């Protein structure tokens, strides 16, 4: 059947299982939007292209599928860049489709021409510019395959408008082979028996679960592996939700704002087993002193990550679920020592001696707000966050125990991520409770997406932890720069309640502890787009705090 490039794009998206796309039209994608007009593909019109990229990212994180965003050429495409970089840093599969000027105008500084392929080269897994309509269907097929296989990541497809308008005989592709890219689901490069031998000899092992556990869907294997071998588990920020926080082997998050007991346990372990984590500097502090008395095993799907930051004694490359599954098979035939009573008792002592805590009296505390959100939703809500103090409090006090239910910008630390990501998550799961925990600084980065949520009747709850500061920077200025609060006081800001109402959402404000529960419950039950302005203590800090580059046992507060 003869189809235009725009029609082929839509058919290819549907063949890849895409049901929702997030985007913003413009001159060079009008042909594609013209065909979307008659399509049964659901399109969510955002108010800024950055919101489209983050929404596609949020959709991908909660579903495990590839998220899709669309923008026009030039500024439309460049507005996607922050969202693409966010997805790249956190290994999230999205496909970004951008319009481009006509093929014969490329390289001539044409109106709204920008080399988006060149601009995004360092922050995508792969990129394409389609200059021949005969390559279009194969390009889309390849893009989705690359985005979701191996270490997931963003892929960009730049399509000149004349390619969208031209026509060709089209038939769906069922298979694709990508030259120079080979991925085998069952590939394992490393010695699983040697790993089990090291674990059997260890007296004080620790498992560190990273985002790779969630990406590979390995939470069941991780639970069985940890229980069978009796090994405590710490998680990175990206793995919040990958291991039940209430499990007796769980020590919570490690790193800069991890729990004291997790960080002390890591410092005292004799074997550190990293699974799907890349030793980010917020996790390790000083990499030369990280778990310095421990042997280290690293499991990762990307062989470039093995020993990249912290030298390891052995690395295994492959999918985390497959490797843990293989290890469990071998353990069923050849068990290794799992008697670690002294170690388990020691980590229990650490947990009892250094619990997470905060002062509940006086002004409204952000930790209390987040703790009550967790308790009143029974831990079943999908939580998204922006970036800053509220993000760390959310990781500490919203004890997520369901994988793909805690969405946050870990690697890039993108303010403005949380709200559009919540829109993507709510669009994917309309029946679920989705709450964006944001800061007053972060929310203003993409507050225009209130209109998107209201237009599509998305019952997203935005809980602003409002301290009138760029809180995390203020905290660093207080503790490390002699309280010189340079340009972090943002108490002059809009009335968030009236702002929500201006967009047609419901706005509420909470200033007292006794108002918190009623407001949260009302928001959950209303099933509308709701903004709650929680006015909290201006000077509350996130503790514990490991200063950047310090060792994990050098914690301030907590």
């Amino acid at each position: 059947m003869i189809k235009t490039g725009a029609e082929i794009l839509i058919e290819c998206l549907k063949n890849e299982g895409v049901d929702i796309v997030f985007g913003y039209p413009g001159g060079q994608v009008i042909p594609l939007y013209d065909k979307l007009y008659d399509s049964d593909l659901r399109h969510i019109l955002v108010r800024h292209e950055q919101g489209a990229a983050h929404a596609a990212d949020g959709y991908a994180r909660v579903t495990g599928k590839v998220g899709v965003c669309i923008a026009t050429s030039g500024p439309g495409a460049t507005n996607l860049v922050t969202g693409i970089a966010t997805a790249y840093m956190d290994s999230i599969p999205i496909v970004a489709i951008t319009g481009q000027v006509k093929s014969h105008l490329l390289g001539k500084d044409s109106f709204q021409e920008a080399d988006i392929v060149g601009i995004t080269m360092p922050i995508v897994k792969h990129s394409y510019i389609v200059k021949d309509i005969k390559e279009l269907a194969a390009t889309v097929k390849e893009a989705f395959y690359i985005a979701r296989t191996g270490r997931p990541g963003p892929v960009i497809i730049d399509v000149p408008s004349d390619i969208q308008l031209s026509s060709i005989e089209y038939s769906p592709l069922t298979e694709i082979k990508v030259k120079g890219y080979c991925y085998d689901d069952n590939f394992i490069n490393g010695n699983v028996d040697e790993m089990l031998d090291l674990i059997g000899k260890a007296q004080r092992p620790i498992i560190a679960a990273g985002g790779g556990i969630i990406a590979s869907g390995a939470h069941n294997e991780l639970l069985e592996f940890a229980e069978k071998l009796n090994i405590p588990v710490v998680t990175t920020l990206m793995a919040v939700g990958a291991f039940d926080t209430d499990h007796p082997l769980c020590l919570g998050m490690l790193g800069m704002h991890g729990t004291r007991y997790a960080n002390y346990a890591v410092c005292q372990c004799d074997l550190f087993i990293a699974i799907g984590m890349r030793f980010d500097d917020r996790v390790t502090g000083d990499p030369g002193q990280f778990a310095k008395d421990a042997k280290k095993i690293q499991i990762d799907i990307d062989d470039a990550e093995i020993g990249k930051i912290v030298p390891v004694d052995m690395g295994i490359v492959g999918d985390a679920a497959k490797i843990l599954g293989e290890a469990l098979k071998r353990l069923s035939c050849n068990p290794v020592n799992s008697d670690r009573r002294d170690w388990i008792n020691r980590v229990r002592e650490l947990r009892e001696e250094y619990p997470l805590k905060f002062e509940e009296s006086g002004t409204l505390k952000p930790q209390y707000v987040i703790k009550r959100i967790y308790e009143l939703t029974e831990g079943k809500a999908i939580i998204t966050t922006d970036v800053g103090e509220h993000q760390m409090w959310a990781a500490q006090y919203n004890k997520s125990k369901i994988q793909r239910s805690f969405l946050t910008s870990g690697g890039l630390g993108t303010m403005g991520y949380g709200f559009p990501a919540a829109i993507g998550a709510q669009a994917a799961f309309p029946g679920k409770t989705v709450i964006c925990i944001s800061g007053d600084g972060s929310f203003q980065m993409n507050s225009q997406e209130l209109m998107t949520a209201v237009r599509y009747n998305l019952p997203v709850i935005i809980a602003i932890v409002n301290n009138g500061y760029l809180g995390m920077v203020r905290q660093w200025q207080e503790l490390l720069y002699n309280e010189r609060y340079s340009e972090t006081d943002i108490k002059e800001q809009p009335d968030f309640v009236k702002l929500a109402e201006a967009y047609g959402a419901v706005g509420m404000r909470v200033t007292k502890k006794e108002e918190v529960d009623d407001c949260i419950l009302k928001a959950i039950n209303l099933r509308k787009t709701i903004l709650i302005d929680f006015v909290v203590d201006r000077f509350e800090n996130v503790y514990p705090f490991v200063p950047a580059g310090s060792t994990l046992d050098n914690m301030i507060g907590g």
Side-chain angles (χ1 to χ4, degrees), residues 158-174:
D158 199 28
V159 190
S161 58
D162 58 308
I163 300 297
Q164 299 171 46
L165 288 165
S166 56
S167 302
I168 193 174
E169 178 73 24
Y170 166 74
S171 57
L173 296 172
T174 55

Side-chain angles (χ1 to χ4, degrees), residues 213-384:
I213 292 291
I214 292 175
S216 69
H219 63 296
N220 288 332
E221 287 83 355
L222 172 65
L223 176 64
E224 187 177 349
F225 187 75
E227 288 181 336
K228 185 163 282 192
L229 292 169
N230 210 15
I231 303 177
V233 177
V234 297
T235 65
T236 67
L237 176 65
M238 290 301 299
V240 170
F243 197 82
D244 185 347
T245 316
D246 291 332
H247 194 285
L249 288 173
C250 186
L251 293 176
M253 190 171 71
L254 81 163
M256 180 175 282
H257 293 293
T259 60
R260 270 190 176 268
Y261 45 89
N263 285 341
Y264 282 139
V266 168
C267 291
Q268 295 171 21
C269 74
D270 66 351
L271 180 65
F272 186 85
I273 308 159
I275 308 176
M277 64 160 278
R278 58 187 177 84
F279 291 94
D280 179 84
D281 55 287
R282 292 294 173 104
V283 165
T284 63
D286 179 356
Q289 298 297 311
F290 179 76
K292 62 180 180 179
D293 297 325
K295 287 184 177 294
K296 299 174 185 71
I297 298 170
Q298 186 175 9
I299 296 171
D300 203 281
I301 201 163
D302 184 351
D303 59 0
E305 290 295 337
I306 304 295
K308 185 177 80 174
I309 296 172
V310 173
V312 296
D313 296 277
M314 76 169 295
I316 302 181
V317 179
D319 179 83
K322 294 287 190 307
I323 292 170
L324 291 177
E326 186 62 33
L328 289 167
K329 278 186 204 170
R330 297 182 191 210
L331 283 169
S332 64
C333 302
N334 298 296
V336 300
N337 174 47
S338 61
D339 182 2
R340 313 188 197 284
R341 279 171 287 186
D342 291 345
W343 179 228
I344 296 300
N345 286 336
R346 176 61 185 147
V347 296
R348 186 182 301 121
E349 288 171 2
L350 289 171
R351 190 160 43 202
E352 291 171 357
E353 190 171 352
Y354 303 105
L356 271 178
K357 59 185 179 183
F358 62 94
E359 179 59 57
E360 294 198 45
S361 61
T363 52
L364 181 59
K365 301 294 183 181
Q367 300 96 321
Y368 178 78
V369 171
I370 292 166
K371 180 169 172 280
R372 291 305 293 156
I373 287 174
Y374 169 74
E375 291 168 349
L376 292 171
T377 58
E378 300 177 339
K380 295 177 182 176
I382 294 171
I383 301 294
T384 72

Side-chain angles (χ1 to χ4, degrees), residues 453-524:
V454 169
R455 176 184 172 180
Y456 294 99
N457 298 314
L458 298 173
V460 175
I461 300 170
I462 307 120
I464 298 180
V465 178
N466 181 359
N467 60 8
Y469 268 114
L470 300 177
M472 187 62 87
V473 186
R474 183 207 57 76
Q475 176 172 331
W476 283 44
Q477 290 171 334
E478 176 189 327
L479 299 175
L480 307 175
Y481 290 85
N482 299 318
E483 300 183 8
R484 289 163 55 83
Y485 300 126
S486 178
E487 302 300 329
T488 47
D489 189 333
I490 56 168
K491 63 178 179 296
E492 296 85 9
Q493 51 189 218
D495 182 323
F496 289 114
V497 173
K498 290 181 179 175
L499 180 69
E501 291 170 351
Y503 280 104
V506 176
M508 296 188 271
R509 179 168 292 115
V510 174
T511 60
K512 299 175 183 174
K513 180 179 177 181
E514 51 268 28
E515 298 170 342
V516 170
D517 283 17
D518 286 347
C519 193
I520 293 172
L521 289 171
K522 182 179 178 183
I524 292 170

